Amino acid sequence: MTLAMLGGSAVRTTPFAPWPQYDHSEEEALLRVLHSRSWGGYHESVKELEKSFAAYHEVPHAVACSNGTIAIEVALKAMGIGPGDEVIVPPYTFIASASAIMLCHASPVFADINSETLNLSVEAAEAAITPRTKAIVVVHFGGRPAEMDAFQALAQRHGLKLLEDSAHAHGAKWKGVPVGGWGDISTFSFQSFKLITAGEGGMILSKSEELIDKCWAYCNQGRRRDGGWFDHYTLGTNYRITGFQSAVLCEQLKKMPAQTDLRAKNVVRFRAGLKDIPGLSLMADDPRIERHPYYLLTLRYNPEGFAGLDRDTVIRALQAEGIPAKATYPAPLYRNGVFAKQTGSLSHCSGWRAAQDYQSLYLPEAERVCKDGVWLSHTVFLGDDHDVDDVLEGLHKVQTLASTVPVLATAGKS
Ligand SMILES: Cc1ncc(COP(=O)(O)O)c(C=O)c1O
């Protein structure tokens, strides 16, 4: 047997489940909006989406908006975050979790992640609190809900606001409560690859009607729901979602519970098979997680199991076998120039100050996972047992033949 990257045949030659998934119901929903001639953000499908998404997360109030980045910025603004404030955020996340803080002219304070969960560490967050701290942004990374009861208690003890960035975690449940129900406010993304999608889109949920009304007004040019088109009561802008997006998302949401169950079932099979592959491991399950939507599975790579090969070579070998494994984020967020060089477009605004020396920051767990993390996306787990077995076979093949890579690669070069 030869690795595909060295000329052998690949384990898998057909694609995994396509994404996004749709059927006639999305087509019909789009046509309904088309024929209504009401294509903008006040189409009734927007309200329907807000209502059904909030109900699924057992939270009373919702505002849909144009994307998940805007959702975080608007949510922070509604909570009163502004210049001079510090907001604690993990560095192992997409840039939006932290750049939205800067877009409010506030300062991100990066605190390390917990190596067991890859979510913000409660202890690290507590240690990062200063008199300027106003809020904590918790990210449910990869769909795994963070320890929200502990974060809720921490926020209450220190009088801080709590935002759940749930862009990866639609429907996730921690200790019986869905994400969105723990923080003061929570935000979601409907970008192309997210667990439900309309290409773009976002959502803000809250138990507080007052916060949601502020978000609604900000996204709708400072209007009030009961006011007229030219009645602007507060400063706002236009961050509306469209009727087309909302209509598609209403249909996507109906499909999500079955997709979530299917992924959970497939991950159980995958987890069992992974035990036979030295050098790759998964975070342990936690019985407090009642629903995990598995947006992204992060495997930890140990070169000892793969004849000392570096992670990126193994990823290339897996891709050649038809297994769509990927490297995680290239570095913790504070290494990104927006923070490290403080060249963010708003960093020169008066009132803005860096709360940390981002350039010299070193948070070991975030650094470690950026070097040894391997991602498998949710679509890999949307198929049947054969799909899971193909992934395992691909991992197994690369692992058992890892020692052939340097020998043959060197031979090939000479
Ligand atoms: C954790 C996290 N937060 C926020 C966002 C921003 O969402 P959007 O792309 O809809 O702006 C993303 C997008 O990938 C994300 O991964």
Side-chain angles (χ1 to χ4, degrees), residues 18-22 192 197 199 252:
W19 194 260
Q21 300 203 342
Y22 65 90
S192 300
T197 183
Q252 293 268 293

Side-chain angles (χ1 to χ4, degrees), residues 76-387:
L76 289 169
K77 284 185 171 147
M79 294 194 299
I81 305 304
D85 294 340
E86 293 180 3
V87 180
I88 295 168
V89 62
Y92 184 61
T93 176
F94 183 63
I95 193 164
S97 313
S99 60
I101 298 167
M102 280 173 75
L103 288 164
C104 295
H105 303 196
S107 307
V109 173
F110 294 102
D112 209 355
I113 54 171
N114 177 324
S115 62
E116 302 297 313
T117 67
L118 304 185
N119 285 324
L120 182 62
S121 145
V122 182
E123 295 74 28
E126 180 151 31
I129 294 172
T130 74
R132 287 175 184 260
T133 309
K134 288 283 157 50
I136 304 175
V137 171
V138 174
V139 181
H140 303 297
F141 188 81
R144 184 185 177 109
E147 297 162 80
M148 289 315 296
D149 48 334
F151 279 111
Q152 207 177 49
L154 178 66
Q156 273 163 12
R157 250 189 344 269
H158 292 270
L160 305 176
K161 300 285 183 201
L162 188 57
L163 187 153
E164 296 176 68
D165 178 351
S166 315
H168 299 179
H170 311 63
K173 256 190 186 179
W174 174 257
K175 283 189 160 181
V177 179
V179 301
W182 292 96
D184 293 281
I185 205 155
S186 72
T187 60
F188 295 81
S189 164
F190 303 133
Q191 170 266 346
S192 300
F193 209 67
K194 295 299 186 295
L195 293 168
I196 65 170
T197 183
E200 301 286 352
M203 182 68 80
I204 307 171
L205 297 183
S206 180
K207 285 177 276 191
S208 159
E209 192 170 8
E210 189 191 338
L211 279 179
I212 285 296
D213 282 349
K214 280 189 188 168
C215 294
W216 190 91
Y218 195 77
C219 294
N220 286 278
Q221 306 284 23
R223 298 187 184 103
R224 277 205 313 238
R225 288 181 209 259
D226 56 356
W229 185 255
F230 294 115
D231 296 338
H232 310 282
Y233 298 90
T234 49
L235 180 65
T237 181
N238 178 359
Y239 283 154
R240 287 193 299 276
I241 198 169
T242 66
F244 290 110
Q245 288 165 287
S246 302
V248 168
L249 286 163
C250 286
E251 297 310 317
Q252 293 268 293
L253 185 58
K254 290 177 197 159
K255 297 181 170 72
M256 192 177 76
Q259 292 169 343
T260 304
D261 290 348
L262 178 59
R263 281 192 300 269
K265 173 179 157 285
N266 282 333
V267 169
V268 170
R269 187 176 181 89
F270 179 72
R271 197 182 274 285
L274 194 68
K275 290 205 176 83
D276 300 329
I277 300 170
L280 283 171
S281 56
L282 260 185
M283 288 173 279
D285 248 344
D286 185 327
R288 294 171 296 176
I289 301 174
E290 219 164 283
R291 198 192 291 130
H292 189 329
Y294 293 110
Y295 173 67
L296 269 180
L297 222 59
T298 305
L299 306 174
R300 306 303 291 267
Y301 175 71
N302 181 347
E304 280 171 24
F306 282 75
L309 283 187
D310 65 280
R311 177 196 63 174
D312 293 348
T313 301
V314 167
I315 288 174
R316 277 200 301 282
L318 289 169
Q319 289 171 350
E321 298 297 340
I323 310 304
K326 285 193 189 132
T328 69
Y329 299 120
L333 269 186
Y334 48 79
R335 292 212 183 289
N336 187 289
V338 170
F339 309 102
K341 296 190 195 127
Q342 295 161 36
T343 52
S345 56
L346 292 178
S347 61
H348 304 299
C349 282
S350 65
W352 193 88
R353 52 177 276 285
Q356 287 168 307
D357 179 359
Y358 301 123
Q359 214 147 17
S360 64
L361 200 58
Y362 187 91
L363 299 175
E365 294 305 337
E367 297 280 346
R368 198 158 71 86
V369 70
C370 289
K371 291 195 179 73
D372 73 8
V374 177
W375 278 342
L376 288 173
S377 82
H378 61 102
T379 58
V380 172
F381 299 101
L382 269 183
D384 55 19
D385 287 356
H386 295 298
D387 290 319

